[in-house]
Amino acid sequence: MQETSASIQITALPAFSDNYLWLIHAGKHALLVDPGDAAVVEQALKAGGYQLDGILLTHHHADHTGGALALQQHWRCPVYAPDNDHPAYRELNAFRVQDGEQIAFKTFPDLSCEVLALPGHTLDHIAFYINQQHLFSGDIIFGAGCGRLFEGSPPQMYASLQRIAALPPATLIYPAHEYTAHNIAFALTVEPGNTALQQRARDTALLRQDNKPTLPTTLALEKATNPFLRCLPLSREKEFHDWEPVDVFTELRARRNVF
Ligand SMILES: [Zn+2]
């Protein structure tokens, strides 16, 4: 569990083989980002004595939305989802939110939540930027990696990652999957001499030995070690010399798909 400046706390709830459902709580109130599994969330709410006051959905994939209906029916709480008529959101009668929108929660008076539209993994993918410090990023960015392009194009995903890269370096990023170790193995094939990446490989191995999350991560660490945020410096190096950064991204994403 992590203490934060605005008195909210954020807890990773492991689910399925490698998902994290992110629980945001203050006092007895809680919000949940991407409840793929209702039972995992109910157990955590019960253990902490929290009531669920809202559900935030980053995109329509079942491992992010599968528990939302049961939770909503139990807690009668609002659901916020991308502005898309997908059946996964329709059955929830979700509030559809757009880029730049602010979401307010009565029971979290000090919490600000801005919606960022970040297409690529899916076309409707959004992220939630809380207290201008915590980015709940679904499947856009992972520790040392990025999401697959199920619906969007490489330039779309590249632009979304560049938007994340423009946030303050101390931003804490909360991806929805524990893929860091495998992503680092791939990143080392791209930048074997990156000492920050080598250090991260050692740190990650120690955490995973004890089955601990490698997340959240920080934007500063991602900029130093995540090849998908390093396309500009890579475009100045020998292998990709004079490539456009977006073409470096496209090439790296294609390589990662078969790694
Ligand atoms: Zn997904």
Side-chain angles (χ1 to χ4, degrees):
M1 191 185 295
Q2 190 196 338
E3 296 272 353
T4 76
S5 55
S7 83
I8 59 167
Q9 295 181 313
I10 298 167
T11 303
L13 309 182
F16 309 117
S17 58
D18 52 35
N19 285 67
Y20 292 127
L21 321 183
W22 291 105
L23 183 74
I24 302 165
H25 47 108
K28 291 294 166 193
H29 298 281
L31 307 171
L32 201 290
V33 184
D34 286 351
D37 185 319
V40 168
V41 177
E42 291 287 15
Q43 195 179 28
L45 293 171
K46 196 173 169 190
Y50 308 124
Q51 73 172 59
L52 187 64
D53 292 341
I55 294 170
L56 304 170
L57 303 178
T58 62
H59 67 296
H60 60 75
H61 286 159
D63 61 319
H64 298 251
T65 59
L69 187 60
L71 290 168
Q72 184 193 38
Q73 285 174 344
H74 179 189
W75 295 98
R76 307 271 161 211
C77 62
V79 179
Y80 298 88
D83 189 17
N84 173 349
D85 196 32
H86 193 280
Y89 314 139
R90 214 183 305 139
E91 71 171 5
L92 296 162
N93 201 17
F95 292 104
R96 315 298 165 85
V97 292
Q98 296 182 349
D99 189 47
E101 234 176 287
Q102 298 281 345
I103 304 172
F105 296 92
K106 276 197 201 100
T107 50
F108 288 81
D110 298 329
L111 182 143
S112 71
C113 178
E114 183 184 352
V115 176
L116 302 181
L118 299 171
H121 176 72
T122 62
L123 288 175
D124 68 354
H125 203 304
I126 58 177
F128 301 97
Y129 186 39
I130 290 190
N131 292 353
Q132 298 195 310
Q133 185 184 8
H134 309 276
L135 184 71
F136 293 87
S137 56
D139 289 352
I140 301 159
I141 184 169
F142 298 124
C146 75
R148 284 179 188 268
L149 304 182
F150 285 112
E151 297 175 11
S153 66
Q156 258 175 339
M157 187 62 147
Y158 182 69
S160 292
L161 291 169
Q162 287 299 107
R163 249 188 110 182
I164 292 174
L167 296 173
T171 301
L172 289 158
I173 302 175
Y174 301 76
H177 290 275
E178 180 60 68
Y179 292 157
T180 312
H182 192 61
N183 284 333
I184 289 173
F186 171 73
L188 282 166
T189 69
V190 181
E191 290 192 287
N194 179 333
T195 53
L197 182 58
Q198 293 163 357
Q199 182 62 49
R200 190 175 189 186
R202 291 190 287 271
D203 296 343
T204 296
L206 287 175
L207 287 169
R208 296 310 294 152
Q209 242 170 37
D210 297 338
N211 207 26
K212 288 182 183 154
T214 62
L215 305 170
T217 176
T218 64
L219 181 56
L221 181 60
E222 295 310 317
K223 282 179 147 177
T225 59
N226 186 328
F228 299 101
L229 291 187
R230 296 180 53 73
C231 297
L232 181 61
L234 285 167
S235 74
R236 296 178 183 133
E237 285 176 19
K238 202 161 68 182
E239 187 182 6
F240 303 105
H241 189 62
D242 276 346
W243 290 33
E244 291 297 327
V246 66
D247 295 330
V248 176
F249 173 81
T250 304
E251 169 66 17
L252 293 180
R253 189 55 255 181
R255 287 188 199 176
R256 176 64 182 80
N257 286 347
V258 294
F259 181 77

